[in-house]
Amino acid sequence: MSTCVVTVFLVLFTTISLAFQLLPVISVPFTANLALSRYDNRAYGVFGWCYNAENGSKHCMSASIGYTDLYDNRIVHKVNLPSRLRYSFTKLLIVHPLSLGITFILWIMVILVLLPPFRSSPRYLLIVALYSTPAFLCCLLAFLIDILLFISQLDWIGWLVLASTVIMAICCFLLWTLRRSASIKKYEKLFSDDRVSSIQAYSMCELKSNANNMPSDSTQESGVEPLLEPHLTYRGSLD
Amino acid sequence: MIRDLSWKLDPGDRNYASCQPQELGNGIIIGSLLPNIAYLADNIKFQSYCDGQLPVYNAARMTDFSYPYLDIVKEDWQAYIEADDILTGSFSYGIYPVLLSLTANFVITVFLTLLIFINIKSKHSKYTSILLKVGAVISSIKIIIFVTRALKELCRLHDDYGVATTYRIMLLFSSDLSFSILDLISIFLLQLCQVMIAIRLFSRNLEKRLVFLLGASLVIVANVLWAIPQFSDVINRDDPHAELLAPFVYLFRIAIAASYASTIISYGILKRRFCFATSQMAILTTLTVLVVLLQPALFLADVSNVWLSGVGELFNTTCYVGSTSIVWEWLDRLGVSERREQAQSILGRPIYEDEQSDYHIAKYALRVQKALTHAKSGNLEERKQISSLCEARSSSCTNFIDTEGEITFQNDEANYIGGQVDGESINQVKFKQQQSFKEVTQQKITVVCDRLLYYADQVVSKSWGTLSLSSKSTDDSTKREKMVRKRVGLDRPNEVYIYSTKDVIFEPDGDIEEEEEQKEANEQRYHSHDA
């Protein structure tokens, strides 16, 4: 598969992941129908929750980080999480917008990979690949928090975060593969035919004898540098 | 003081009347604990024994002669075991499954520790195997301590109250200081082992370095954050912000475990040809997948059923020991079969382009050679100019012109900038120029990065993360290999030499002896002359 195709797939995957992560963030109380979880006439989102009364009316808390009890005239509607955790833990849902932000930056970086200079730069691809690891971790953390808070009562939007996590893992894998292929290409470029053909090859014995006969200034004038037997060299070993 | 891990549990507003004092009126109290066996008392109050405001029933055998419980206690107990709630007293939440889990964990952990000592040899991957062994031993000690203390606690409960409850056993997880410290150390070591295992999955040096740096930092952060709510008194538990730390770190650990599992599984998918080559490998692969997935699976079980949260903690140790030792063995076998195939192929072991990236030393050598070429072909005035410059900055300049007019170089890394072979003559090698702040900063950052990479390469890639190919080699073969390595100069593989190439002529042994004899004779003659 060529790098172009991989890059297109990457952009596609990160876009899907971004969209999947956007949905929980814009869920209740911002939108009426989207919710991370529905339980006991309550709809839960990242920034708040809503209570659906039996008469059809809907009461939502104002958007903030972490849930609070809902006051409707004199009636107090308490947060009733499916997991029975203390509702102060709902502040952990902050990871959702954080993850969205990180994924958004990754998305921009991946779009830049479409440009040839970035696509062929192993260093840039290494940075993107490295960045994708915490992005994946954040996405996974967001899903785990959903599971911790809502358990099996998670709505389809919550499960989309799992899908997003899997997609991010694939993106990570593709980015590391892309970096490897860019690195190999760069290496192969060093030994490309054009480069090799531009180098003149001499026999060492011939040059040695010529160098002894030739005066030092003449080589300078002719523009051909004498090819000396290396006075210094190195030895290294690879395990 | 150890903090408890009760953040997972919200007791709710369920109240059991039997856990509150009951007015019984006037009557006679009979009991061996009283000063007299029987007592006539007014306004007697009775409170049934409860654990964490939850009813507890007698663990002793009831006979026809036993005194019956109060009706209120019986009713509460019935309500407690029948409630469709996470805080119920059904059989699965009872003491028997807990004891079964405890003993099973104990057996598995000790068995795996023994396997680690028998199977894993510290031939090439010395530090990792030591880490693994130490981690496994600490885990075994920890679980032995826990089982012993749990049984002692059960014994005490039975003797004092005639009950056996899970509540007190679960409380040991958070209240026992020695257990918590051992838990932290063992998990930290085993997580580091997981990082080392992850390093083995990557072939390229650069990736090995990055995996080490990323993995080690994640492990350190996770364990430091884990220790804060466990041991610190500074954090106020009633502070709603501070209490978030415990669940966050719990999830962070699970996220790291899930990442590890996904890395191992994706590696298994890439090497599926070797994973299922033989039936033995297929079984081991299946076991590996199950073991690495156990921890995320336990998390799901944990959050969906709060009772399991405590046992999840206990299974945690077994999961870590299993996910390091079994995966280690699996990778060993996978590596052996892979290398066997590589040995049979024409190309042999693959060499990656990363292994010779940058060419720092080669570029340095080329630069020196180029400089020599220029200097040899340049005029004498130019050389003198260099000489005067060198004298002016004698501290930084190590070049000098010898009597024959030839320029010789000593190793001066300060003059070698950036490793680029450009068209710059040696005469202009930054003698006059004052280095800008940017260049100095860049150089210092490069030095720090190089040292970091050097550490990662030397300690991690070459010492810790190297595959131990054969775990059944004898001492003789090790000695033989050492001898061969020393002979071919591989006993010091990390050293890089820069030296002058000269034809080395090995003189025959006879000649050397003759020469030595001649020298000795000359010396004797010299001494005799002196005398």
Side-chain angles (χ1 to χ4, degrees):
Chain A
M1 212 190 295
S2 77
T3 50
C4 280
V5 178
V6 174
T7 316
V8 170
F9 269 115
L10 259 173
V11 174
L12 190 72
F13 284 156
T14 31
T15 312
I16 292 170
S17 178
L18 190 72
F20 283 179
Q21 286 184 55
L22 186 68
L23 289 174
V25 177
I26 59 165
S27 60
V28 285
F30 298 121
T31 47
N33 296 321
L34 298 174
L36 267 176
S37 169
R38 288 176 202 279
Y39 175 71
D40 195 21
N41 288 335
R42 290 160 171 83
Y44 297 101
V46 170
F47 290 104
W49 66 283
C50 293
Y51 178 74
N52 298 315
E54 282 172 6
N55 58 10
S57 63
K58 198 171 193 173
H59 310 283
C60 295
M61 66 169 274
S62 54
S64 68
I65 294 162
Y67 297 164
T68 51
D69 289 337
L70 199 62
Y71 295 94
D72 175 28
N73 293 327
R74 286 176 197 168
I75 306 162
V76 181
H77 301 294
K78 284 199 164 185
V79 180
N80 186 15
L81 288 172
S83 59
R84 295 201 55 180
L85 282 173
R86 293 177 208 148
Y87 60 80
S88 58
F89 292 155
T90 52
K91 282 180 183 164
L92 286 173
L93 286 169
I94 187 71
V95 175
H96 271 286
L98 268 176
S99 174
L100 179 71
I102 292 170
T103 312
F104 179 69
I105 295 168
L106 181 72
W107 181 70
I108 291 169
M109 287 168 115
V110 167
I111 281 183
L112 284 176
V113 175
L114 284 171
L115 305 171
F118 289 105
R119 195 168 55 221
S120 57
S121 161
R123 192 161 289 186
Y124 177 74
L125 287 170
L126 177 68
I127 292 166
V128 183
L130 269 179
Y131 184 78
S132 69
T133 315
F136 161 73
L137 214 61
C138 268
C139 196
L140 180 61
L141 211 56
F143 172 68
L144 291 178
I145 287 165
D146 290 350
I147 284 281
L148 184 74
L149 294 174
F150 308 115
I151 319 175
S152 56
Q153 305 295 328
L154 211 61
D155 215 356
W156 62 273
I157 287 193
W159 292 110
L160 281 185
V161 182
L162 174 65
S164 172
T165 309
V166 175
I167 290 169
M168 286 299 285
I170 296 168
C171 282
C172 260
F173 177 78
L174 286 178
L175 277 166
W176 283 105
T177 314
L178 205 63
R179 192 207 73 82
R180 283 177 190 173
S181 62
S183 175
I184 291 166
K185 273 188 181 172
K186 194 185 173 190
Y187 181 72
E188 282 174 349
K189 219 174 172 183
L190 283 171
F191 299 101
S192 63
D193 287 344
D194 300 337
R195 198 182 151 91
V196 170
S197 60
S198 66
I199 299 168
Q200 274 185 300
Y202 301 95
S203 155
M204 284 295 281
C205 302
E206 208 175 286
L207 269 156
K208 244 180 163 179
S209 57
N210 286 349
N212 290 335
N213 300 334
M214 237 187 285
S216 61
D217 289 344
S218 65
T219 53
Q220 187 82 358
E221 281 161 18
S222 63
V224 181
E225 288 178 5
L227 191 60
L228 295 175
E229 191 178 358
H231 183 62
L232 295 172
T233 184
Y234 73 98
R235 182 176 81 96
S237 72
L238 297 164
D239 251 7
Chain B
M1 185 192 163
I2 305 285
R3 293 289 175 201
D4 69 343
L5 297 171
S6 58
W7 58 267
K8 291 172 196 164
L9 189 68
D10 186 5
D13 48 7
R14 184 183 291 274
N15 285 319
Y16 291 97
S18 62
C19 294
Q20 309 299 325
Q22 301 295 314
E23 294 278 355
L24 296 179
N26 306 333
I28 300 169
I29 306 170
I30 303 167
S32 57
L33 293 171
L34 301 168
N36 301 318
I37 293 171
Y39 235 106
L40 186 64
D42 298 332
N43 297 324
I44 300 165
K45 282 185 183 175
F46 174 74
Q47 186 178 351
S48 181
Y49 178 77
C50 290
D51 260 345
Q53 296 298 309
L54 297 172
V56 173
Y57 211 65
N58 198 342
R61 193 165 63 92
M62 300 290 278
T63 62
D64 292 340
F65 303 106
S66 306
Y67 290 103
Y69 266 108
L70 290 175
D71 286 342
I72 192 165
V73 177
K74 277 183 185 173
E75 283 165 14
D76 272 356
W77 177 253
Q78 203 62 31
Y80 176 57
I81 59 172
E82 283 176 0
D84 185 20
D85 192 298
I86 51 172
L87 294 169
T88 60
S90 64
F91 178 78
S92 58
Y93 300 86
I95 188 71
Y96 306 108
V98 171
L99 283 177
L100 186 71
S101 313
L102 269 175
T103 44
N105 270 299
F106 171 71
V107 172
I108 294 168
T109 310
V110 172
F111 176 69
L112 283 173
T113 309
L114 286 175
L115 267 184
I116 287 168
F117 272 90
I118 294 165
N119 248 13
I120 293 172
K121 303 280 180 196
S122 56
K123 195 185 164 196
H124 293 293
S125 45
K126 192 178 160 191
Y127 298 106
T128 317
S129 62
I130 289 171
L131 268 184
L132 186 55
K133 281 169 188 170
V134 173
V137 167
I138 294 174
S139 302
S140 296
I141 293 169
K142 183 184 82 177
I143 210 156
I144 288 168
I145 289 174
F146 189 82
V147 169
T148 317
R149 294 211 171 151
L151 289 175
K152 272 175 78 178
E153 181 65 19
L154 280 175
C155 182
R156 190 188 67 79
L157 281 172
H158 186 87
D159 288 348
D160 293 355
Y161 306 105
V163 294
T165 65
T166 51
Y167 179 80
R168 295 281 161 190
I169 305 297
M170 292 304 167
L171 215 61
L172 280 176
F173 275 113
S174 49
S175 61
D176 195 335
L177 182 67
S178 54
F179 176 80
S180 297
I181 291 170
L182 287 175
D183 184 54
L184 184 73
I185 296 169
S186 65
I187 287 178
F188 175 69
L189 293 178
L190 291 169
Q191 279 183 335
L192 271 183
C193 282
Q194 288 188 345
V195 174
M196 298 309 158
I197 286 170
I199 286 170
R200 284 178 62 173
L201 307 182
F202 295 88
S203 318
R204 289 164 167 81
N205 283 340
L206 179 72
E207 288 170 3
K208 277 178 195 281
R209 282 177 208 148
L210 291 172
V211 169
F212 170 69
L213 295 173
L214 200 71
S217 46
L218 273 178
V219 167
I220 290 167
V221 167
N223 281 285
V224 168
L225 289 178
W226 179 261
I228 292 170
Q230 286 260 28
F231 300 105
S232 175
D233 276 330
V234 180
I235 291 176
N236 182 12
R237 282 176 68 199
D238 298 329
D239 182 1
H241 298 291
E243 70 175 2
L244 290 178
L245 193 59
F248 176 77
V249 180
Y250 172 70
L251 293 177
F252 193 60
R253 266 193 176 183
I254 302 295
I256 291 174
S259 309
Y260 175 70
S262 57
T263 313
I264 297 288
I265 290 169
S266 58
Y267 184 75
I269 292 168
L270 285 175
K271 305 277 174 186
R272 58 191 176 279
R273 202 156 51 84
F274 300 108
C275 290
F276 298 98
T278 58
S279 57
Q280 216 178 24
M281 269 306 284
I283 293 167
L284 193 61
T285 306
T286 316
L287 192 66
T288 306
V289 171
L290 287 177
V291 159
V292 294
L293 282 177
L294 195 62
Q295 213 172 0
L298 269 177
F299 160 74
L300 292 177
D302 240 5
V303 293
S304 58
N305 191 340
V306 172
W307 174 81
L308 276 172
S309 63
V311 176
E313 293 296 327
L314 184 61
F315 268 107
N316 219 8
T317 315
T318 316
C319 286
Y320 275 114
V321 176
S323 62
T324 43
S325 60
I326 293 173
V327 174
W328 185 279
E329 183 63 26
W330 177 68
L331 282 176
D332 268 358
R333 285 170 188 244
L334 211 62
V336 168
S337 46
E338 199 178 1
R339 275 166 199 242
R340 195 181 294 147
E341 198 192 70
Q342 280 172 1
Q344 285 166 359
S345 71
I346 305 163
L347 295 172
R349 187 181 84 86
I351 295 171
Y352 299 98
E353 78 287 347
D354 284 10
E355 288 177 19
Q356 25 180 330
S357 65
D358 293 340
Y359 312 102
H360 281 305
I361 302 162
K363 279 173 182 171
Y364 176 72
L366 280 172
R367 193 182 168 86
V368 170
Q369 189 189 344
K370 192 169 184 183
L372 275 168
T373 317
H374 273 274
K376 202 163 190 178
S377 57
N379 55 30
L380 198 66
E381 280 176 21
E382 212 174 1
R383 289 177 208 160
K384 280 180 181 169
Q385 206 180 344
I386 295 169
S387 155
S388 61
L389 281 167
C390 288
E391 280 164 16
R393 293 189 58 174
S394 56
S395 61
S396 63
C397 176
T398 54
N399 308 329
F400 64 91
I401 300 172
D402 63 14
T403 47
E404 291 169 21
E406 265 195 62
I407 294 178
T408 316
F409 275 78
Q410 286 178 1
N411 191 2
D412 187 359
E413 285 185 6
N415 294 334
Y416 170 66
I417 297 161
Q420 288 178 345
V421 184
D422 50 20
E424 199 176 52
S425 166
I426 190 67
N427 317 12
Q428 301 160 4
V429 185
K430 316 271 180 189
F431 286 141
K432 287 181 196 168
Q433 296 163 10
Q434 187 79 30
Q435 280 188 323
S436 67
F437 175 73
K438 194 183 163 189
E439 280 175 349
V440 172
T441 319
Q442 207 174 357
Q443 260 183 6
K444 285 191 175 168
I445 290 168
T446 316
V447 168
V448 171
C449 289
D450 283 351
R451 281 187 186 163
L452 216 64
L453 293 181
Y454 177 80
Y455 173 77
D457 273 0
Q458 303 305 308
V459 181
V460 180
S461 308
K462 290 181 181 167
S463 305
W464 291 14
T466 323
L467 177 71
S468 70
L469 246 183
S470 138
S471 52
K472 286 167 188 160
S473 63
T474 57
D475 286 346
D476 285 348
S477 68
T478 319
K479 274 182 190 169
R480 225 178 300 139
E481 196 193 312
K482 263 186 185 172
M483 205 167 70
V484 172
R485 284 177 77 86
K486 199 174 178 184
R487 200 179 295 155
V488 297
L490 286 174
D491 56 331
R492 285 171 295 174
N494 305 330
E495 290 178 14
V496 175
Y497 301 98
I498 295 180
Y499 65 94
S500 171
T501 49
K502 279 180 183 174
D503 289 337
V504 181
I505 301 157
F506 291 100
E507 286 166 317
D509 292 348
D511 291 356
I512 294 167
E513 281 169 13
E514 276 174 26
E515 250 186 62
E516 280 175 358
E517 279 169 13
Q518 211 172 344
K519 269 183 186 173
E520 278 174 17
N522 285 340
E523 276 174 12
Q524 278 175 2
R525 228 177 291 155
Y526 180 72
H527 286 303
S528 61
H529 275 294
D530 280 355

